[in-house]
Amino acid sequence: MSNQAHSSSETPLLDELLKGRWPSFVKEMKEMADTKPMVRDVLRQLEKSYVDKKTHWKHGGIVGVKGYGGGIIGRYSDSPDEFPGAAHFHTVRVNQPAGWFYSSQALRDLCDIFEKYGSGLTNMHGSTGDIILLGTTTDELEPIFSALTEKGWDLGGSGSALRTPSCCVGPARCEWAMFDCLDLCHDITHHYQDEIHRPAFPYKFKIKVSGCPNDCVSAIARADFSVIGTWKDHIQVNQAAMQEYVAKGRNPIKDAVLLCPTKAIDWDGKEIKIDNENCVRCMQCINAYPKALKPGKERGATILIGAKAPIVQGALFSSVLVPFMELEKPYDDLKELLEKLWDVWDDHGENKERIGELVERMGKGEFLERIGIKPDIQMVIHPRENPYVFYDEYYEEVDEK
Amino acid sequence: MNVRKTDIGCPDYKQFLPPMILKNYGQWDWHEVIKPGVFVHQAESGDRLYTVRVGSPRLLNVKSLRFFTDVADKYCDGFLRFTSRSNVEFMTPVFENIDPMIAMLQSEGWPVGGTANSASNVIHTQGWVHCHTSATDASGLVKCVMDDLYDDFTNHSLPGRMKLAVACCLNMCGAVHASDIAILGIHRRPPKVDPHNLANYCEVPTTIAACPTGAIRADILDGQKTLKINESQCMYCGACYTACPKLPIADSVNDGLSIWVGGKCANARSTPRFTKMVVPFIPNNPPRWPEVVEAVRTIVDVYKAHGKPWERLADMIDRIGWARFFKLTGFEFTKYHIDDYKLATKSYNASTHLRF
């Protein structure tokens, strides 16, 4: 770096974060600052935040590309005179390929585009899954969009829209994928392009797809609509493989029997026995012994809805809506369910009300009735504990004759 | 507009799958972790695929990404992937490629690890690098915490998996509400209303509806519509500032962090659960946030000393109880730890099950 000495003196606090063993984001930024005045000013502004202990980005910012209502997060410096390069520093969300797989050529194309039209800084990836191109100006948004679409990339979601769906690595490299998570994620993304690009919902809506209950994309915590793979029949047991594990010193009592949440698995020193009717498919025994224990063959997914962060009414996990659904292309059952949910949410959701909060306000029973799904004991941890019941049915006096 | 391409969606992932994955797609038999950061997947066909996982600061420049593509070209048939925790994975069918590939990555400072019972990468947010509502910086905190946990990333040194998260405000973008250890940026003073022209910048009813505790009322000042905050009802969540730029809340002196533990998403053993607060406030202390690093280290050390194999932090605390967890960590328990929102009484101990 030719101007190392110069830039060091500009950011003494951030320079402390060049030290240490974990890869440094300051190094990533400094390397771009050499050629991008924009990044140098953003670094100087960040240094000021480290001194002042507060952000120096102005509130909000509404920018975008023609034809879309989302995909770009506008950002402006609150001190543009002091940091002219940081005056505009918008983020472009680019829809990642399912499972975050790339060819090096595709990744180089993205690098070339963003080095030409923006800061050359990225987030790989945003929490929802998008490729984040971190920092460009309003004038460059249309040119970036053209260059991206030319190479086969489209924008992801933002605002009160369907956000970019994401999925775990699935059948591409996991023996526990209960359905084709990548295909489902890809299919939904393409089927609902309009819902992603043109916000039409009361608030944001996220879909995440995990191949098994290990939930490697945290669908249950981070998606309004959580698709989590499961199976209906028996765990497949290979007793010989289990004995090999034991011969190598593993202890099924410690790694499975004592940890089973429903005491459904047993080991008598020779054989694994599983009470599959009482198994809740938590994955612990399978996680511990992947060569000996495998999920069943009757496969599909549990659909759960409503997860969200605290604002406004408190954080929620998704809860069971459909205990088991088979997932075969073209996923008509799943799409029908999604569209039914969106209809009810459109009709009844208030401004900025996540679907989980609508279910809370409306009551899950009432919500189920409106989307046409029968109540199922698996939807609750336990039946209600209070007697404050709204009854639909009652007798008029005349009925008693 | 005629030539403008829209609604093309994401590219087809199939073109980005390594040849061995295409061949064995959906036909994997088992996997095994060979050593920290390296695992093998065997297909029913007998094919074996080796994966090397590398830690990343998530904020990456094009130079680093191009270096990754060089590694992928040299050892991985020109393919690579990223994980849901922002790590990078390099996959090869050739066992002999593993060590030279690791050497190439390590020569540029990229750490190999993040598998099994290690502390994996920290899910985090934008902080002062890009966000307007942040109460702290995310990238800086992550760098400081991971410098300290480096050996726990590159080794299988913990009883079970440990997932960390940072969010720079309680919008909690990411996974703070469901991680083993989470660091959350918080405010401690109500927003300051800038009443001048407020109604021209903000939708008054939307802003009122944004408040979880009903602390905001419409008001009239000098004949103009504005907002008024009942400060005794405000718990500084900042949701109203998200809705209205005339309610700035950032405060150099009072902003800082809280620390939360015991969340999880996986269903293995116990059900998914939310994180719970263990340290209500630590002041922002950039660039190294030593008090935060120390608190995280304390939690990790207690987990290492008292967790049993496979137990996540949540499972360990289920077993030993919160009273003992506070005793072991030495964290002070205060009135701020006791829930007082909506279903708060569900968290009270209505039993004589106590640990003295």
Side-chain angles (χ1 to χ4, degrees):
Chain A
M1 273 191 273
S2 56
N3 59 348
Q4 173 81 55
H6 182 214
S7 40
S8 294
S9 63
E10 284 183 331
T11 57
L13 292 178
L14 290 172
D15 291 351
E16 288 297 312
L17 297 177
L18 293 168
K19 301 171 187 165
R21 291 182 290 175
W22 188 252
S24 168
F25 72 101
V26 176
K27 173 173 167 280
E28 297 295 311
M29 294 178 81
K30 289 219 159 182
E31 284 175 350
M32 292 320 293
D34 291 344
T35 53
K36 297 276 181 188
M38 165 187 252
V39 177
R40 193 182 146 203
D41 279 0
V42 168
L43 263 171
R44 289 171 55 233
Q45 182 183 305
L46 185 59
E47 178 76 11
K48 187 176 171 172
S49 283
Y50 271 54
V51 174
D52 297 350
K53 302 179 188 178
K54 63 187 248 188
T55 185
H56 281 291
W57 297 108
K58 242 163 93 170
H59 185 282
I62 298 171
V63 290
V65 299
K66 283 179 213 154
Y68 287 7
I72 318 275
I73 313 302
R75 199 63 81 216
Y76 300 94
S77 171
D78 73 359
S79 317
D81 295 338
E82 200 178 345
F83 311 111
H88 300 220
F89 198 64
H90 311 321
T91 274
V92 181
R93 288 185 182 160
V94 178
N95 197 150
Q96 85 287 0
W100 298 287
F101 282 93
Y102 296 89
S103 67
S104 30
Q105 188 54 52
L107 209 47
R108 275 191 223 107
D109 288 345
L110 280 171
C111 289
D112 293 347
I113 291 169
F114 204 54
E115 192 166 31
K116 184 171 174 191
Y117 296 107
S119 69
L121 296 176
T122 72
N123 287 156
M124 299 298 276
H125 292 77
S127 300
T128 299
D130 300 282
I131 300 158
I132 303 293
L133 305 181
L134 191 63
T136 188
T137 60
T138 308
D139 290 344
E140 300 288 11
L141 294 177
E142 284 294 335
I144 287 179
F145 183 64
S146 301
L148 285 170
T149 52
E150 200 49 48
K151 289 286 182 185
W153 299 96
D154 200 344
L155 300 188
S158 70
S160 293
L162 174 59
R163 301 296 186 81
T164 308
S166 65
C167 65
C168 69
V169 72
R173 203 203 50 205
C174 182
E175 65 269 32
W176 299 325
M178 294 292 94
F179 60 93
D180 194 341
C181 330
L182 284 81
D183 185 65
L184 174 63
C185 183
H186 185 78
D187 185 287
I188 289 180
T189 302
H190 281 257
H191 191 78
Y192 295 114
Q193 279 292 292
D194 192 33
E195 284 78 1
I196 291 175
H197 295 309
R198 295 164 200 92
F201 293 154
Y203 201 14
K204 65 180 88 166
F205 191 93
K206 300 187 181 190
I207 302 176
K208 281 186 165 53
V209 182
S210 277
C212 85
N214 282 326
D215 197 2
C216 289
V217 287
S218 306
I220 204 162
R222 299 167 69 179
D224 300 85
F225 190 82
S226 320
V227 184
I228 301 179
T230 190
W231 66 95
K232 262 188 145 173
D233 54 347
H234 294 182
I235 290 179
Q236 304 177 63
V237 184
N238 179 338
Q239 302 287 2
M242 188 53 103
Q243 278 153 10
E244 270 177 53
Y245 275 117
V246 173
K248 284 181 186 166
R250 294 286 300 277
N251 182 345
I253 300 286
K254 282 190 172 169
D255 293 334
V257 175
L258 291 175
L259 297 175
C260 176
T262 57
K263 311 291 169 240
I265 190 167
D266 206 1
W267 167 255
D268 62 7
K270 286 180 202 152
E271 283 204 327
I272 280 287
K273 286 202 180 70
I274 298 176
D275 174 7
N276 281 281
E277 216 175 321
N278 198 35
C279 166
V280 289
R281 297 158 181 81
C282 83
M283 294 296 292
Q284 170 60 29
C285 61
I286 296 173
N287 288 344
Y289 295 105
K291 291 178 183 172
L293 303 173
K294 294 182 192 306
K297 292 176 173 172
E298 200 184 331
R299 298 173 170 192
T302 302
I303 314 286
L304 308 93
I305 65 159
K308 58 176 282 291
I311 302 293
V312 181
Q313 300 294 338
L316 296 170
F317 279 122
S318 282
S319 63
V320 173
L321 185 65
V322 180
F324 188 84
M325 182 186 275
E326 278 178 38
L327 290 175
E328 297 290 340
K329 216 174 172 68
Y331 313 110
D332 285 337
D333 292 351
L334 187 108
K335 287 172 186 165
E336 197 185 313
L337 175 64
L338 256 180
E339 287 163 30
K340 191 73 204 168
L341 289 176
W342 290 340
D343 279 349
V344 172
W345 187 37
D346 275 346
D347 286 348
H348 299 276
E350 286 176 359
N351 184 26
K352 300 262 174 190
E353 185 175 47
R354 295 285 283 268
I355 201 160
E357 290 182 345
L358 171 65
V359 173
E360 211 175 18
R361 179 167 61 85
M362 183 181 265
K364 195 166 185 174
E366 175 72 18
F367 183 80
L368 290 170
E369 200 160 271
R370 289 190 187 272
I371 58 171
I373 288 186
K374 275 190 172 172
D376 186 311
I377 184 70
Q378 311 233 50
M379 293 172 179
V380 295
I381 299 170
H382 56 74
R384 70 191 303 146
E385 292 173 327
N386 63 66
Y388 305 154
V389 184
F390 294 97
Y391 286 107
D392 290 338
E393 309 89 1
Y394 52 89
Y395 300 114
E396 297 288 352
E397 240 174 293
V398 63
D399 296 332
E400 290 177 9
K401 284 178 187 169
Chain B
M1 292 294 279
N2 289 341
V3 291
R4 209 160 176 279
K5 284 186 197 170
T6 61
D7 300 276
I8 61 173
C10 54
D12 190 347
Y13 60 94
K14 289 190 207 81
Q15 62 184 309
F16 301 145
L17 298 178
M20 179 173 277
I21 284 186
L22 267 181
K23 184 185 162 205
N24 296 291
Y25 193 89
Q27 288 158 11
W28 297 100
D29 191 13
W30 52 261
H31 78 280
E32 208 166 63
V33 180
I34 300 174
K35 58 182 175 180
V38 183
F39 44 105
V40 56
H41 286 81
Q42 173 149 322
E44 285 158 11
S45 66
D47 286 350
R48 287 188 171 195
L49 182 70
Y50 302 94
T51 300
V52 174
R53 183 177 287 173
V54 173
S56 147
R58 190 178 81 116
L59 196 165
L60 291 167
N61 66 28
V62 291
K63 180 175 167 270
S64 295
L65 289 173
R66 286 180 184 130
F67 172 72
F68 293 154
T69 66
D70 292 342
V71 176
D73 284 344
K74 191 162 182 189
Y75 295 110
C76 308
D77 301 308
F79 297 97
L80 70 164
R81 77 175 289 264
F82 292 79
T83 72
S84 57
R85 304 196 73 78
S86 301
N87 295 309
V88 195
E89 286 182 346
F90 299 93
M91 294 152 287
T92 174
V94 184
F95 181 80
E96 289 72 27
N97 278 350
I98 297 172
D99 287 337
M101 181 155 73
I102 289 175
M104 183 173 174
L105 287 158
Q106 287 177 337
S107 73
E108 295 276 321
W110 300 101
V112 173
T115 47
N117 50 330
S118 63
S120 192
N121 210 343
V122 185
I123 297 290
H124 65 281
T125 56
Q126 295 296 10
W128 295 331
V129 175
H130 199 260
C131 191
H132 60 162
T133 68
S134 46
T136 186
D137 186 42
S139 304
L141 276 169
V142 170
K143 166 72 176 149
C144 299
V145 167
M146 286 311 287
D147 275 342
D148 191 60
L149 294 184
Y150 188 92
D151 291 332
D152 297 309
F153 178 86
T154 56
N155 291 287
H156 294 155
S157 50
L158 302 168
R161 279 155 213 273
M162 165 152 282
K163 306 196 175 189
L164 295 102
V166 167
C168 44
C169 80
L170 48 64
N171 279 332
M172 289 195 191
C173 302
V176 155
H177 61 311
S179 297
D180 295 281
I181 303 180
I183 303 167
L184 175 67
I186 52 162
H187 306 287
R188 288 192 306 163
R189 299 296 304 144
K192 295 192 172 59
V193 183
D194 171 9
H196 181 65
N197 261 343
L198 184 142
N200 290 347
Y201 285 84
C202 311
E203 233 180 67
V204 167
T206 313
T207 312
I208 291 171
C211 180
T213 56
I216 308 176
R217 302 256 154 81
D219 197 16
I220 303 282
L221 187 73
D222 301 332
Q224 285 191 318
K225 257 198 282 186
T226 183
L227 291 164
K228 193 176 172 180
I229 293 173
N230 178 350
E231 298 204 348
S232 64
Q233 229 167 305
C234 171
M235 44 62 186
Y236 342 109
C237 72
C240 57
Y241 176 62
T242 302
C244 171
K246 289 289 196 174
L247 302 172
I249 190 170
D251 176 335
S252 296
V253 187
N254 286 298
D255 290 353
L257 318 123
S258 50
I259 296 187
W260 302 64
V261 308
K264 71 191 274 276
C265 290
N267 287 272
R269 303 168 307 283
S270 52
T271 55
R273 65 211 36 215
F274 291 123
T275 46
K276 278 93 180 162
M277 191 172 80
V278 289
V279 181
F281 184 73
I282 296 176
N284 268 316
N285 193 0
R288 276 286 164 189
W289 282 275
E291 300 85 355
V292 176
V293 172
E294 194 194 324
V296 171
R297 169 52 59 193
T298 300
I299 297 163
V300 171
D301 284 348
V302 166
Y303 177 50
K304 276 185 184 176
H306 299 272
K308 293 189 174 181
W310 294 100
E311 274 184 342
R312 295 279 292 267
L313 195 49
D315 302 324
M316 183 193 91
I317 296 169
D318 276 355
R319 180 171 52 79
I320 69 172
W322 283 101
R324 188 140 173 255
F325 179 78
F326 272 77
K327 193 184 268 183
L328 290 170
T329 54
F331 294 144
E332 187 192 358
F333 186 80
T334 70
K335 71 170 184 177
Y336 300 124
H337 292 88
I338 304 176
D339 195 356
D340 51 12
Y341 184 70
K342 289 215 294 191
L343 304 172
T345 50
K346 292 264 182 197
S347 68
Y348 299 172
N349 185 5
S351 79
T352 56
H353 291 209
L354 299 167
R355 288 173 172 88
F356 295 107

